[in-house]
Amino acid sequence: MNYKQLPKIDLHCHLDGSVRPETIIELAEQQNIDLPSKDVNVIRDMMIAPETCPNLIEYLKRFDLPLSVMQTKVALERIAFEVYEDAALENVTYMEVRFGPLLHREKGLNIEEIIGSVVSGMQRAEKVHGIKGNIILSLLRHMPTDEINDVIDVALSSWVKAWLLLILQAVKSWASARSSFRLLNMRKKKVSM
């Protein structure tokens, strides 16, 4: 049986874990970022955790390289498009892609620009390839709690609310997690009225 021809859905895809190695090389060159190698196979190996990964820290290091080139609107839009394009070429008809907007501010992008760029890449892939998708915003435990509301505000703004699912992940250790979650629920009720 040819599994590529079967229609599929993907409900757990990480944007920064799905970047094409070739794209990392091209974007690094455009952004004047030094890479340890320009060999696609070396870059690919740097992005894949070993089968017997000793710990979570070692696993998470595999995201450093992709994140280094995901700091501009052009890069985020391109990568989002390519992730959905690659899935569509494998006959994925619906995909949910998750990413942490707060991880993409190193070059001064604001949350609206970050989310907007990823949504734009997804929408372009939907038009070109017919795939349908959603974006899941992740808020990570080690990120500043005072910035949660910035992500929530943008996610609930009128131009993106139809495209986004908002999931607060790994926030149970945050002191303000409950109040932020209550705020999200109150805002959701206002939006749906």
Side-chain angles (χ1 to χ4, degrees):
M1 175 178 274
N2 184 343
Y3 292 105
K4 263 194 168 177
Q5 291 180 345
L6 288 174
K8 297 171 276 301
I9 62 170
D10 186 343
L11 300 177
H12 192 107
C13 178
H14 291 261
L15 185 66
D16 49 2
S18 304
V19 184
R20 296 173 182 167
E22 299 85 356
T23 299
I24 289 178
I25 294 167
E26 289 174 25
L27 290 174
E29 190 171 304
Q30 292 168 10
Q31 298 174 27
N32 296 314
I33 296 172
D34 290 328
L35 294 177
S37 173
K38 290 188 179 183
D39 182 303
V40 172
N41 293 319
V42 171
I43 297 299
R44 181 179 292 111
D45 287 346
M46 292 177 68
M47 296 168 58
I48 299 172
E51 228 174 276
T52 55
C53 196
N55 56 53
L56 181 60
I57 301 299
E58 182 63 31
Y59 175 81
L60 293 176
K61 284 182 186 177
R62 305 305 173 157
F63 293 92
D64 290 345
L65 186 59
L67 285 170
S68 71
V69 299
M70 296 175 72
Q71 303 299 324
T72 68
K73 292 190 293 186
V74 170
L76 288 167
E77 194 277 344
R78 174 182 174 176
I79 289 167
F81 173 81
E82 290 178 352
V83 168
Y84 278 94
E85 177 178 59
D86 291 346
L89 295 174
E90 293 185 8
N91 206 23
V92 173
T93 58
Y94 175 79
M95 183 164 69
E96 293 177 356
V97 173
R98 61 190 62 226
F99 81 108
L102 296 174
L103 298 172
H104 302 279
R105 299 172 303 154
E106 290 179 15
K107 292 190 177 178
L109 293 180
N110 64 44
I111 300 301
E112 189 168 1
E113 292 171 319
I114 293 164
I115 295 172
S117 298
V118 173
V119 169
S120 178
M122 177 191 71
Q123 289 173 332
R124 185 162 63 100
E126 287 180 327
K127 288 177 188 164
V128 172
H129 296 289
I131 189 170
K132 299 294 178 202
N134 268 304
I135 304 296
I136 298 174
L137 304 177
S138 297
L139 298 171
L140 308 171
R141 179 181 309 212
H142 68 282
M143 302 306 286
T145 58
D146 60 334
E147 295 173 356
I148 291 172
N149 289 337
D150 294 340
V151 176
I152 293 170
D153 288 342
V154 172
L156 296 178
S157 69
S158 61
W159 64 270
V160 292
K161 68 183 176 197
W163 294 100
L164 299 177
L165 299 172
L166 180 62
I167 292 184
L168 300 176
Q169 293 181 327
V171 295
K172 61 184 170 187
S173 67
W174 289 346
S176 64
R178 283 191 170 152
S179 62
S180 295
F181 203 70
R182 275 192 292 256
L183 175 63
L184 172 62
N185 286 332
M186 288 186 328
R187 289 182 180 169
K188 274 184 163 178
K189 287 177 187 173
K190 286 181 184 177
V191 169
S192 64
M193 290 180 179

